[in-house]
Amino acid sequence: MRRVSIHIPGFRHKNPIPNAARIGNLVMSGIINGVDPETGEVAEGMEAQCRFLFAHVRSIVETAGGTTDDILKITVWMRDRSRREALNREWLAMFPDEASRPARHSLQADLEGRLEIQCDFVAVLPEKETAP
């Protein structure tokens, strides 16, 4: 199988869509948001949503076989872009090295329901070594 669907526990789309897909060493996620994996509900407030969003990002890239060091770009959609403090706090915790951070693009968006933030990402995993 060339393409592999990536699913993580506690975070499922309502539609028949995986959390991410991988072909070779390229991983592209679907939309990731701040759903609490224990309740399946959108977390209350920006702080909690950011915390869960970044936990899902980590879990997805690790389930795909990589690490957060393999993430090349994250696109973020926010209800209110002026509220970046919580986003930046989690961003710096996940990517503390200024010389090795992924690109990021933040967009203002009219998000559904209680969603304050959502994202997707692209990761490039290291090439697998093959036996001689």
Side-chain angles (χ1 to χ4, degrees), residues 2 20 24 28 33 64 67 77:
R2 184 163 184 247
M28 297 188 80
N33 52 42
T67 71
W77 291 268

Side-chain angles (χ1 to χ4, degrees), residues 40-62:
E41 300 294 325
V42 173
E44 189 64 43
M46 182 68 139
E47 299 279 338
Q49 287 186 34
C50 283
R51 214 172 32 255
F52 286 123
L53 179 142
F54 277 89
H56 296 321
V57 166
R58 180 183 302 280
S59 184
I60 292 167
V61 75
E62 288 176 354

